[in-house]
Structures are given as C-alpha cells and as structure tokens.
Amino acid sequence: MSVPHIRRARPQDEEPLRRLDRLTWSHLHAVSPPPGPDEPFFRPTSGPDDHFVAELDGEIVGYVRIGFPTGLASNTHVRQIRGLAVCDAARGRGAGRALVRAAVEDSRRAGARRITLRVLGHNTAARKLYESEGFVVEGVQPEEFLLGGEYVDDVLMGRPLVSAL
C-alpha cells in the first residue's frame, strides 16, 4: 500500500480538484450547495498557494484549504482549515491525517500562533481525526445549520502552534 504524497497545489490541479470536490460533496461536511459543473475550484481569495493536495499513485485523492478566519489585521496570527476532502477510495490510508499535518506545519512556518477550524457535529470521523492531531473543541453553535432536513451543530475547534512559556 502506497503512502500519500503531500504537496502544494498548482494551477494545473484545477480540474482534478473540481472533480474531487463534486465527488466528495455531502451534507456530512458541507453547508453550502453542491458545486456546479462549471464552478471554479480556485478563486481570487483561495488560490493554489492556499491548498495542499494528497496524491496516491500519481492521482489527487484529497486536499486541504488553509486561510484566515477573518480579513482583520488583528487576526492575522490565526490560520484556519477552511476545507478538507479525501475521496472514498483513499480513506483510511493516511491522506486526511497527512493533509491536516501539512496545514499545521505550514501555518507554524508562516508564523501563526493558532490554527482553527469548523466541523459539523455529526461528522464524527473528522472530529476524531482533528482531536487526534491536537485540536480541542472551543465552542459549539447548537443546531446552526439545517442540512438534509436535520439540524446540525457547528463545532469550533482549535489548537496552539506555539508553546506557552
């Protein structure tokens, strides 16, 4: 079994990432409608430099999107995981974990003090992954979203990137 290769996304990854996004879309993790067939993956606010991809056997099987939680200058010391997807065929092979670790390390190298994320309460697999990588629940917004006829909690998680003195 091969190990996932993690690398920074490139502009030419647009089409494979668009396909992956459509393939992996689910109310398990998405609060927005499914992406349309012509909807771009990369956007002016979230380009290739804001993504890492996981490859297995030369195929893109996952990605993580990193950004800032707000546009405020007073918040630039915090990075946020703004998306994580792994195709079904690659689940359980370490791609998700490797992508989370790449996001954490990239944020640390960029000088961030914290990294945060939001995950839906019913996405237990993702929550377990994040917890195993040092993220803790910092807040819950009960029944924040109505998805597929069910009310779902929005769970806020975070972890420090620098050691306390």
Side-chain angles (χ1 to χ4, degrees):
M1 186 182 296
S2 55
V3 175
H5 169 70
I6 307 299
R7 65 169 173 80
R8 183 81 64 181
R10 301 184 287 249
Q12 58 266 38
D13 295 329
E14 169 75 25
E15 189 54 37
L17 287 168
R18 283 176 61 197
R19 279 194 307 271
L20 179 67
D21 226 19
R22 287 192 308 272
L23 180 70
T24 59
W25 184 92
S26 162
H27 277 308
L28 180 62
H29 59 80
V31 297
S32 57
D38 297 325
E39 192 171 329
F41 182 82
F42 297 126
R43 297 167 189 214
T45 58
S46 183
D49 287 343
D50 302 312
H51 295 81
F52 284 94
V53 298
E55 293 179 321
L56 282 171
D57 304 321
E59 297 288 324
I60 293 177
V61 297
Y63 72 84
V64 65
R65 178 179 297 124
I66 312 164
F68 294 97
T70 73
L72 301 170
S74 59
N75 194 224
T76 59
H77 63 285
V78 180
R79 295 293 185 277
Q80 187 173 59
I81 292 177
R82 301 183 63 82
L84 175 71
V86 175
C87 71
D88 286 343
R91 298 222 172 155
R93 297 180 65 185
R97 183 173 306 282
L99 287 165
V100 169
R101 288 179 178 174
V104 167
E105 287 310 310
D106 185 67
S107 298
R108 185 178 282 127
R109 278 193 305 274
R113 296 181 53 82
R114 289 178 29 80
I115 186 167
T116 64
L117 59 90
R118 296 169 67 174
V119 61
L120 295 173
H122 63 211
N123 192 345
T124 55
R127 290 178 63 182
K128 286 179 184 177
L129 169 63
Y130 296 135
E131 287 170 2
S132 73
E133 290 299 317
F135 287 82
V136 297
V137 173
E138 296 180 338
V140 176
Q141 295 176 300
E143 298 184 352
E144 186 71 7
F145 298 104
L146 177 61
L147 304 173
E150 293 183 40
Y151 290 100
V152 181
D153 295 350
D154 188 15
V155 180
L156 314 174
M157 300 181 80
R159 65 166 280 184
L161 296 174
V162 295
S163 302
L165 297 178

